[in-house]
Amino acid sequence: MTGARPLFGGIEAGGTKFVLAVGHSPTEILARHALPTRAPEATLRQTEAWFREQGPLAALGIASFGPAVVDRADGSWGHIATTPKPGWSGCDLAGHFARAFDVPVGFDTDVNGAALAESAFGAGRELASLAYVTVGTGIGGGLVVDGRALHGAAHPEMGHLFPRRHPADGEFEGICPAHGDCLEGLACGPAILQRWGASLSDLPDDHEAHAVIASYLGQLCHAIFAMTAAEIVVLGGGVMHTPGLLERTREAAARLDRGYLPGGARHAIVAPALGPNAGIAGAILLAQAARAENS
Ligand code: ZN
């Protein structure tokens, strides 16, 4: 037995699955579980039931898909904001679990959670600044400076900016419901599937899609470096499992910059050191922070 050491719960609330974990710290996970993201009521009920089996929690952290309300001063803090996901708009994710378990609840976006974990234990543990970008069903990013995730008017988005079109990308109109051919609309997993009929990792290595997607991700990384001076961009998400994509993205970003940015060699584009555990480790970190704030 581990005596009185507090048990923290973490929820990585994703668009396709919820990953749940309990542990004494982000690096001491005792149990984890995953369930598909269905309608809110069923998903929250199953999540709650799993945590009840794990023992009493000291606090809970939620790293959620966005858009989400992360401003503590906002009356809708901890809610999912307006989303095309059926039923989830306005869902009071943090409030539901705060009421269910009567414990402090920490809440941030999934990418800010992953950014916090990579900053504390992963690729950025020696650094003061880090951006984390996931390239998967969508494209989203978070930014951590001196151990704190950046919140301004809302959380950063990063995916909805407008890249220079790659010459080999034809007339593809993009799939973002708001913008069409923003970066997410051109380079997320479903956009790749829609125009080439396969995921990037299933296309031959000499297929033009590799250069096209690397060009867009290179532009995103360059934009992050140019606007925030973050030391590294950590690129996670399913699309980044494509062999060679990380290297191609680095080359694209370097080609664009032409040696201009003053950070120079200090800027790096890297894979997550925590692999797929970054998000859930971030959720446990959020739980620890919530408990500390309430003690
Ligand atoms: Zn967009």
Side-chain angles (χ1 to χ4, degrees):
M1 280 297 289
T2 47
R5 290 186 70 197
L7 187 67
F8 296 100
I11 302 174
E12 184 185 10
T16 53
K17 65 176 177 179
F18 269 44
V19 178
L20 319 176
V22 290
H24 296 306
S25 77
T27 54
E28 295 171 278
I29 303 280
L30 303 178
R32 58 189 292 161
H33 181 63
L35 53 100
T37 306
R38 300 194 176 93
E41 194 182 316
T43 310
L44 300 193
R45 190 173 57 240
Q46 290 173 343
T47 297
E48 195 182 318
W50 185 81
F51 280 115
R52 292 210 186 277
E53 292 167 9
Q54 309 307 314
L57 299 175
L60 183 72
I62 304 171
S64 173
F65 67 87
V69 184
V70 296
D71 180 359
R72 278 270 183 193
D74 191 309
S76 296
W77 174 83
H79 289 53
I80 302 293
T82 303
T83 170
K85 281 188 74 63
W88 284 93
S89 291
C91 175
D92 183 8
L93 208 45
H96 175 90
F97 292 105
R99 287 186 294 273
F101 295 111
D102 193 24
V103 293
V105 173
F107 184 81
D108 210 326
T109 60
D110 47 3
V111 281
N112 265 341
L116 285 166
E118 285 290 338
S119 173
F121 307 104
R125 65 190 176 279
E126 308 285 333
L127 307 173
S129 56
L130 167 154
Y132 181 96
V133 175
T134 184
V135 187
T137 313
I139 296 179
L143 182 66
V144 168
V145 180
D146 294 333
R148 291 180 67 90
L150 176 72
H151 296 158
H155 52 79
E157 281 280 346
M158 298 199 184
H160 298 271
L161 47 79
F162 299 92
R164 184 186 291 175
R165 184 63 77 105
H166 190 284
D169 201 17
E171 300 296 310
F172 180 61
E173 66 276 17
I175 65 156
C176 175
H179 311 116
D181 62 348
C182 67
L183 197 128
E184 175 174 292
L186 290 172
C188 69
I192 293 166
L193 196 61
Q194 188 164 320
R195 66 188 174 302
W196 293 300
S199 68
L200 198 58
S201 54
D202 286 340
L203 290 167
D205 196 55
D206 59 356
H207 194 284
E208 67 188 14
H210 294 283
V212 171
I213 298 305
S215 159
Y216 296 140
L217 297 180
Q219 292 183 61
L220 174 60
C221 293
H222 185 262
I224 292 168
F225 291 144
M227 288 191 289
T228 71
E231 289 154 284
I232 62 171
V233 175
V234 182
L235 287 180
V239 174
M240 292 314 301
H241 294 142
T242 307
L245 180 58
L246 185 67
E247 292 75 14
R248 286 183 168 107
T249 299
R250 285 180 184 138
E251 289 162 15
R255 252 196 322 275
L256 274 170
D257 183 54
R258 301 178 189 173
Y260 176 81
L261 286 180
R266 289 186 61 191
H267 289 304
I269 300 169
V270 303
L274 303 175
N277 295 319
I280 195 67
I284 301 276
L285 267 179
L286 292 170
Q288 287 182 312
R291 182 170 188 257
E293 281 167 22
N294 281 269
S295 63

